[in-house]
Amino acid sequence: AGVGTMVVPADTNVRLAYLAAQAHADVDVQVTWSMAVAITGAAAQPGLVLRGLSTSDYLMARVDVAPAGTISLGVFTDDPTTIAASTVIAGLTYATGTDYTIRFMATGRLFAAKVWQTSAGEPLEWQVSGYLDSTPKYAGWVGVRSSTDTGNTNANLVVSYKNFVAYSDRFVGEISSIVQGRDTSGRH
């Protein structure tokens, strides 16, 4: 297990890293992130992307780390249509060098996300969720996204990512009974 880093050179810049060879529709993705500097000027924005079709066509769970240390979370399309409005996460404050984990889930038209300080453990409930009313973007790639808001003064901001995991459900439901067609010998 290693650490990947992204360098965001100036405000309003966006960086993406994604798994282009794998396409997922209903998927649950999480990653641990950290930054080694205080945020200045305007928000830094680590996050996750899914259902990506191109670098300008994807869905994102975006964390906004404000210079005051508040952490907000929202779910958006790339254009950026709001799916779940950015919400300040109560009790969660940014500290340099601290690990945080973000988790982002899509099932059909439902999208949900949460963020927490990794050492504190994952919260039970999703912190933001919403529905995409338009036709959802189906299978696409998953990955990480780093950006800075207009006015951010952290030149060459480094966002570190580790422990990236993507789960793609094959079946969700209940089986009331199964009739066994064969035994392990294959003869019965």
Side-chain angles (χ1 to χ4, degrees):
V3 175
T5 60
M6 295 180 125
V7 177
V8 183
D11 72 335
T12 69
N13 281 209
V14 174
R15 296 291 180 258
L16 287 167
Y18 52 90
L19 303 170
Q22 298 292 319
H24 303 278
D26 294 342
V27 64
D28 187 343
V29 181
Q30 78 176 39
V31 70
T32 299
W33 60 270
S34 65
M35 297 179 287
V37 297
I39 304 307
T40 58
Q45 301 165 322
L48 285 167
V49 293
L50 52 79
R51 292 189 183 172
L53 302 175
S54 74
T55 58
S56 61
D57 190 2
Y58 53 86
L59 302 170
M60 65 179 152
R62 190 184 72 213
V63 175
D64 288 292
V65 180
T70 58
I71 295 178
S72 302
L73 177 63
V75 177
F76 308 92
T77 64
D78 55 88
D79 59 9
T81 299
T82 299
I83 298 171
S86 190
T87 302
V88 173
I89 306 303
L92 189 60
T93 304
Y94 172 73
T96 60
T98 301
D99 284 345
Y100 299 88
T101 301
I102 180 174
R103 185 172 169 193
F104 186 22
M105 178 274 304
T107 300
R109 295 176 184 263
L110 171 67
F111 302 91
K114 52 183 152 178
V115 62
W116 65 94
Q117 186 173 330
T118 307
S119 63
E122 181 176 355
L124 182 61
E125 299 295 324
W126 295 103
Q127 294 159 329
V128 295
S129 63
Y131 290 91
L132 185 61
D133 293 331
S134 61
T135 303
K137 297 172 183 178
Y138 288 99
W141 44 256
V142 297
V144 295
R145 180 185 187 275
S146 300
S147 61
T148 52
D149 209 358
T150 302
N152 179 281
T153 55
N154 294 103
N156 296 312
L157 176 69
V158 177
V159 183
S160 298
Y161 293 97
K162 62 184 178 182
N163 302 323
F164 181 87
V165 179
Y167 299 100
S168 185
D169 293 329
R170 299 283 180 193
F171 173 78
V172 177
E174 181 178 315
I175 299 174
S176 59
S177 68
I178 288 183
V179 177
Q180 184 173 341
R182 294 182 175 214
D183 65 11
T184 56
S185 71
R187 293 179 290 193
H188 299 100

